[in-house]
Amino acid sequence: MSPATPPQPPAHPWIAVVGGGPAGLMAAEVLAREGWPVKVFDAMASVGRKFLLAGKGGMNITHGEAMERFLDRYGPRRPVLEPLLRDFGPPQLQEWMRGLGIDTFVGSSGRVFPMDMKAAPLLRAWLQRLRALGVDFRMRHRWQGWDREGALSFQGPEGPLSLRPAATVLALGGGSWPRLGSDGAWVPYLQEQRVQVHPLEPSNCGFDGGSPKGPWSPYFQEQFAGQPVKNVAAWVATGSPHAFAEGEAAAPTQARRGEFLLTASGVEGSLIYALSAPLRLAIKSDGQAILLVDLLPDHSPEQVRQEVLRPRGSRSLSSHLGLKGPRAGLLRECLDRDSYQDPERLAAAIKALPLRLTAPRPLAEAISSAGGVDFADLDPQLMLTQLPGVFCAGEMLDWEAPTGGYLLTACFATGRAAGLGALAWLDAHPPRQA
């Protein structure tokens, strides 16, 4: 397909949505509400599989924090996502859910959930609405790019299929959770059309690593792998890889509070996921990342120093400081004998304990992915400038965000924007029946 050649008019104009996740389904709803025949294609046997699994432990649909802080969660992609999120952000998403009969509540952390905490009722109600709007679902149809004549190419249950929609919305997901359909198989098809696609990388993921001395010791693995480290703060060291030892670490005000999980090979969990982008970038730049952990975030450095210096009698240091279990184990694992016995160095380590991380876990294990279609190759309505009439939405775009409802909100918002973009393009380029 020539990058400058729009699709030929179909015999009966209709719109293709490729991908049955939140972004694709939202685009389908926008289009169908305007009376367009819409066909949703998905490689899996049913739509919304990743959506359902993400909601298995409680469907965190969005976040209730102030909008400015919410937008900041998208990091360097805030400028391009902000207009879409202001049009369809947390308030609009919750109102849309109420229209489906799904009420929401805001948890103590600010996260927004359906009242029953489940994804399945929401998806069922949504699919019922889409079918009532006439949306046609074509399952087990794997998209394979375009054929030589510029038609969409699929491998369906009955063999190869070439189709010519009036417009196309691609919502193919990223590269995480391939068993649920987000396998990144679409990347070469867009690259063949000279679309710039940044490599898909793990985001919201765990990391391999251990103490500054190397991987976790066998004893530490046996005692603490699988245990949570609670009520701590963490941040990524800046400057040289050894900045923590030189007193040049990032200011504690940059720390995030939360908890993480110790694994046999490193660390994972919500606090690690929130820092996955800077950790991944540090590893790419320096071959390693130094994660600094404040084991007593409710105590000032001077309070910790005074407690370490204060005679403790017969009490152990762990009992004296209130550091027990995994936190005490981490302290012993990461400090050498001399540092552990030096009160000044010990106090400093309690407030900024260095963990050395060397690699993110594989993409297939990640909650989401970074990388994807470069926004420079998209117009403001998310149409590929090289492929008129082809729009992109969801996680296949080059953005990332932490867990907490930010991922889903942006998928809904970009899906809606792509649907609106397709409508505007079709108004300006009305298809003619062949």
Side-chain angles (χ1 to χ4, degrees):
M1 179 177 177
S2 170
T5 304
Q8 297 299 311
H12 301 284
W14 57 279
I15 302 173
V17 174
V18 188
L25 296 181
M26 182 56 75
E29 178 174 338
V30 168
L31 295 163
R33 281 188 176 279
E34 294 301 313
W36 275 94
V38 178
K39 297 178 183 179
V40 175
F41 299 86
D42 197 282
M44 307 303 288
S46 59
V47 298
R49 291 200 168 192
K50 186 176 178 181
F51 180 74
L52 288 174
L53 187 60
K56 192 173 182 180
M59 170 48 64
N60 177 201
I61 197 77
T62 188
H63 206 287
E65 65 190 354
M67 192 61 179
E68 285 299 314
R69 185 169 176 80
F70 182 89
L71 292 169
D72 281 342
R73 304 296 188 181
Y74 297 91
R77 294 294 177 266
R78 171 176 172 165
V80 293
L81 290 174
E82 180 170 350
L84 315 184
L85 291 164
R86 288 195 180 277
D87 283 346
F88 197 81
Q92 294 87 353
L93 178 53
Q94 292 175 77
E95 182 62 29
W96 172 83
M97 290 174 65
R98 283 191 287 272
L100 289 170
I102 307 294
D103 289 328
T104 61
F105 73 95
V106 181
S108 58
S109 64
R111 298 184 179 202
V112 178
F113 303 88
M115 289 299 294
D116 62 3
M117 300 286 288
K118 297 178 181 178
L122 170 59
L123 183 60
R124 282 197 299 269
W126 194 7
L127 293 179
Q128 184 177 3
R129 172 189 285 179
L130 292 173
R131 292 190 176 100
L133 289 169
V135 175
D136 181 10
F137 290 91
R138 303 293 181 93
M139 298 297 97
R140 296 190 174 91
H141 281 71
R142 178 171 290 278
W143 183 60
Q144 297 183 325
W146 293 268
D147 65 17
R148 293 181 179 179
E149 285 71 42
L152 292 178
S153 179
F154 293 91
Q155 182 65 36
E158 299 178 0
L161 188 65
S162 293
L163 298 171
R164 292 180 178 275
T168 300
V169 176
L170 300 177
L172 294 156
S176 63
W177 296 10
R179 64 188 179 89
L180 301 179
S182 296
D183 56 10
W186 53 268
V187 171
Y189 302 132
L190 289 186
Q191 290 177 329
E192 288 172 2
Q193 303 300 324
R194 301 179 183 177
V195 175
Q196 184 176 1
V197 181
H198 296 282
L200 299 178
E201 300 179 288
S203 181
N204 290 296
C205 60
F207 287 81
D208 290 335
S211 76
K213 299 173 286 185
W216 301 136
S217 65
Y219 172 81
F220 186 81
Q221 291 181 33
E222 180 181 349
Q223 293 294 314
F224 297 108
Q227 293 196 33
V229 182
K230 297 184 177 183
N231 191 27
V232 295
W235 66 101
V236 182
T238 57
S240 71
H242 301 291
F244 66 92
E246 301 162 3
E248 299 171 0
T253 53
Q254 299 176 14
R256 290 179 180 267
R257 293 285 293 265
E259 64 180 75
F260 63 92
L261 190 71
L262 297 167
T263 69
S265 64
V267 291
E268 64 178 33
S270 59
L271 185 55
I272 304 302
Y273 301 156
L275 297 169
S276 62
L279 287 170
R280 188 181 67 249
L281 292 173
I283 290 170
K284 289 176 70 174
S285 173
D286 302 323
Q288 64 178 9
I290 302 301
L291 179 70
L292 296 171
V293 180
D294 183 347
L295 297 174
L296 291 174
D298 294 323
H299 295 69
S300 70
E302 183 57 26
Q303 286 176 321
V304 172
R305 179 175 176 273
Q306 290 298 327
E307 286 298 312
V308 170
L309 292 171
R310 186 163 61 89
R312 62 178 188 271
S314 61
R315 292 183 299 169
S316 69
L317 181 62
S318 296
S319 298
H320 180 67
L321 296 172
L323 288 175
K324 298 180 180 180
R327 287 192 296 172
L330 263 179
L331 195 60
R332 285 191 173 276
E333 179 74 5
C334 294
L335 294 186
D336 57 35
R337 187 181 187 87
D338 290 342
S339 297
Y340 197 84
Q341 294 179 345
D342 183 316
E344 296 290 348
R345 291 157 71 181
L346 176 61
I350 290 170
K351 293 298 292 179
L353 186 68
L355 308 186
R356 178 177 176 268
L357 306 181
T358 54
R361 294 296 299 166
L363 179 57
E365 297 179 15
I367 291 176
S368 61
S369 58
V373 176
D374 194 316
F375 279 96
D377 281 1
L378 297 162
D379 72 9
Q381 295 180 309
L382 302 185
M383 186 178 78
L384 288 166
T385 54
Q386 298 94 324
L387 300 171
V390 179
F391 299 77
C392 295
E395 200 178 336
M396 69 182 294
L397 302 177
D398 182 25
W399 62 276
E400 63 181 309
T403 57
Y406 309 103
L407 293 166
L408 276 175
T409 305
C411 284
F412 281 108
T414 57
R416 178 177 179 273
L420 293 173
L423 290 173
W425 186 82
L426 288 165
D427 283 344
H429 304 82
R432 295 169 298 173
Q433 292 192 14

